[in-house]
Amino acid sequence: MSTESPAGKASARSKRADAVRNQQTLLAAAAEVFVTSGVDAPIRQIAAKAGVGMGTIYRHFPTRADLVTAVYRHQIEECAEAGPRLLAEADSPFEALRQWIDLFVDFLVTKHGLADALQSDSSRFTALHTYFLDRLGPVCTQLLDAAVESGDIRSDTQPYELMRGIGNLCIGRDSDPRYDPRRLIELLLQGLRHPRPA
């Protein structure tokens, strides 16, 4: 039989909510650091960005692989949740698609180095890749369908092809400072559009 008072239960719930919020802040900070410094960035740099001690990070994520996996899942969720929101807020479905692709590129940049960070844990990597496709494929489909329906883009674009193409364009960014994948992705997006009448 529980002897915890209603106030005690509310306090425990509040602590859990604070812990979740703190963890989300930490993951967002780690994602930002990974974008600029890669997944091998020093833990102290992530701790400084998040405004927490290194012990806090290790308490939540005992290994770098745990942290990288959590950041990856966090970004997948952010990207998935952004799709419907952008469709509701953007000036057009095409603009919603463009803004979502910008977030997707941020995510892909963070993803580079993931396999190395997980080293021999191939089952974890495979599970994450499946999760990535299951969560983001339907969002990309929704955005493309809306842009086709509004007449913004041609109807022959497959979501998987688009996501794969964008991923391929992002490869090489880290090793060549002269290469800007966003410029080529913009050209790709323009290629999806209906030709304008002469």
Side-chain angles (χ1 to χ4, degrees), residues 57-71:
I57 294 181
Y58 286 118
R59 192 163 53 250
H60 286 290
F61 310 107
T63 68
R64 182 175 294 273
D66 292 329
L67 176 61
V68 171
T69 301
V71 168

Side-chain angles (χ1 to χ4, degrees), residues 33-35 37-41 46 64 68 110-114 116-117:
V33 171
F34 287 171
V35 168
S37 305
V39 294
D40 293 325
I46 296 166
R64 182 175 294 273
V68 171
T110 305
K111 177 178 174 283
H112 289 162
L114 176 71
D116 292 338

Side-chain angles (χ1 to χ4, degrees), residues 9 16 24-25 54 57 65 70 75 94 98-99 102 109 111 114 129 154 166-167 175 179-180 185 193 198:
K9 286 182 181 175
R16 278 195 299 275
Q24 296 302 309
T25 300
M54 287 174 58
I57 294 181
Q75 285 197 294
F94 181 77
R98 173 186 274 139
Q99 290 177 28
D102 203 42
V109 168
K111 177 178 174 283
L114 176 71
H129 186 67
R154 300 176 347 215
I166 291 167
S175 58
Y179 178 63
D180 179 9
I185 289 165
R193 304 210 68 165

Side-chain angles (χ1 to χ4, degrees), residues 168-174 176-182 184-185:
N168 287 342
L169 288 173
C170 288
I171 293 170
R173 171 196 170 270
D174 297 336
D176 187 352
R178 299 166 302 167
Y179 178 63
D180 179 9
R182 290 183 196 274
L184 291 181
I185 289 165

Side-chain angles (χ1 to χ4, degrees), residues 80-94:
E81 290 166 8
R85 187 185 73 246
L86 290 169
L87 261 182
E89 295 172 359
D91 293 337
S92 69
F94 181 77

